[in-house]
Amino acid sequence: MEAGKKINWYEVSYWGREKAYVLEAIESTWISGGQYIQRLEERLTELLQLPNAFAVANGTAALQLAFLTIDLQPGDEVLVPSFGFMAAANVLKLMHIKPVFVDVEDEFWCMDPKKIEENITERTKAIVLIHNYGVISYIEEVQKIAAAHNILIIEDCAEAIFSSYKNVYCGNFGDISTFSFHATKTVSTGEGGMVSTRHEEFVEKIKLIRSHGLKREKKHYWHEHYGNNFRMSNVLAAIGLAQIECIEKIIQAKKLILKEYQDRLAHVNGINFQSSFPDSNPLLWVVAIYLDPKILNTSRDKVIADLKERGIECRPGFYTPYQLEIYESERNNIRSYECANRLAENIIVLPSYPKLPSSDIDYISLALTELIS
């Protein structure tokens, strides 16, 4: 192994006119609102074939905007996967709305539709459908359940932009969809996010809540609705537009990284890759692998520590509510976390930023193979 080698888990990649557009935004003096926000929204609407797009400050703000738009109230319940990033659950707790955690399944690592039905009550208002790591979740099954119980789907596409199912991009399957453009995401603005909805009656409400509830065409400082400032800045939108202009390069790079990892590691006993659904075309945010504890004589945490000793930064899988002390009141049903806990304890997320060199993938794969053999 190479002495002094250092491979970061993620590095921001620039593809085209990011710097030029940022400078243009700054020189225009429109650093809050401005043309780049509108251009980014229009381009994403077109590329993702969405009915609309509303840029916001970050992916978590996008989720809160979605929850406020559907008028969730304290005491309401929302189903969320027990394995996944906790942004939605955290926001729900802050809003005094009960997150009800539903277990995921072993193959795709997404919310198990068989477990959804048993968690629905008369207080259930919505399902948050997370496409973990970019793998499309159980779209049709969840849509049928939601329709049967008259509950809404919030489609969390933070990790799955440009993933598709039956040639339809994610973001088109929920009643409201949310996206993230965090620095580590496939398309990055540094911090940023987006909301889209297929319901025309939600559009005006999203616009109002996103910007203090103000109706500026009436008069200044006239609040039509309770709102917040969820807006994205023009400077960050400039970065995002430059990235979107190079999206085909980004997609090709991300797919190549997954293929190279699979070519090197799929044959290694004890390593399993996340599966994807038939008729789907996932664009993975990151490459995650499952270390099978039934086969290996080492723990996931030890492997991460040993990789760090070799200069390779990795991440664990998401922690579940059962493992997090702040969710003590939600931990009463261990069956809600059976598969989620197993995944959380055994997943490693590998370095997988778009410009990761093939030579580094070789180095990572060899180190990993040696450590678990």
Side-chain angles (χ1 to χ4, degrees), residues 11-255:
E11 292 183 7
V12 174
S13 301
Y14 298 117
W15 300 90
R17 304 195 65 193
E18 287 93 342
K19 184 182 290 188
Y21 284 173
V22 167
L23 288 173
E24 191 174 303
I26 291 171
E27 290 170 356
S28 75
T29 74
W30 287 93
I31 60 173
S32 182
Q35 63 153 323
Y36 283 109
I37 296 170
Q38 182 178 350
R39 289 172 65 184
L40 178 64
E41 290 174 339
E42 289 173 350
R43 195 72 181 110
L44 286 165
T45 300
E46 177 187 2
L47 287 173
L48 295 170
Q49 301 173 317
L50 295 168
N52 42 59
F54 303 98
V56 296
N58 53 64
T60 307
L63 286 163
Q64 186 169 9
L65 180 53
F67 296 151
L68 291 168
T69 297
I70 65 175
D71 199 28
L72 292 178
Q73 298 294 319
D76 287 344
E77 296 180 357
V78 175
L79 306 187
V80 294
S82 52
F83 179 80
F85 190 67
M86 285 288 141
N90 287 344
V91 170
L92 291 168
K93 292 288 283 186
L94 288 170
M95 294 175 67
H96 303 287
I97 295 154
K98 182 180 180 181
V100 176
F101 292 100
V102 179
D103 206 3
V104 295
E105 47 65 58
D106 285 298
E107 191 174 0
F108 308 112
W109 308 352
C110 294
M111 187 185 287
D112 188 343
K114 300 186 189 71
K115 305 289 179 63
I116 292 175
E117 198 93 39
E118 64 192 53
N119 284 283
I120 293 175
T121 72
E122 69 278 1
R123 291 179 294 177
T124 305
K125 296 298 190 295
I127 300 170
V128 175
L129 197 62
I130 299 177
H131 305 301
N132 274 325
Y133 299 125
V135 167
I136 292 288
S137 190
Y138 288 85
I139 296 293
E140 293 172 344
E141 294 88 341
V142 175
Q143 285 179 327
K144 288 176 183 176
I145 294 169
H149 293 273
N150 194 29
I151 55 182
L152 298 172
I153 296 174
I154 308 298
E155 188 185 359
D156 184 346
C157 309
E159 302 166 22
I161 191 168
F162 291 103
S163 292
S164 64
Y165 175 66
K166 292 186 176 179
N167 297 315
V168 177
Y169 285 120
C170 71
N172 287 285
F173 301 108
D175 296 281
I176 301 181
S177 57
T178 65
F179 296 81
S180 171
F181 306 132
H182 180 262
T184 65
K185 293 302 190 291
T186 301
V187 174
S188 172
T189 59
E191 292 286 358
M194 185 176 74
V195 175
S196 181
T197 181
R198 59 187 173 89
H199 295 293
E200 189 60 36
E201 64 268 27
F202 289 157
V203 168
E204 191 62 27
K205 200 170 178 183
I206 288 171
K207 291 179 182 177
L208 283 170
I209 296 171
R210 177 176 66 161
S211 189
H212 300 289
L214 292 170
K215 196 95 169 184
R216 285 185 170 85
E217 56 266 31
K218 284 192 172 183
K219 50 188 171 182
H220 285 298
Y221 311 128
W222 185 260
H223 299 272
E224 292 273 331
H225 197 284
Y226 298 119
N228 205 327
N229 181 1
F230 291 124
R231 300 187 303 263
M232 178 189 285
S233 83
N234 197 40
V235 174
L236 297 187
I239 298 172
L241 181 64
Q243 299 242 313
I244 283 295
E245 288 178 347
C246 299
I247 191 59
E248 288 304 322
K249 291 181 182 177
I250 297 173
I251 289 172
Q252 290 173 11
K254 298 288 273 188
K255 287 185 174 293

Side-chain angles (χ1 to χ4, degrees), residues 272-288:
N272 296 319
F273 283 84
Q274 184 181 15
S275 298
S276 58
F277 288 83
D279 297 323
S280 73
N281 184 13
L283 181 64
L284 295 193
W285 162 51
V286 288
V287 177

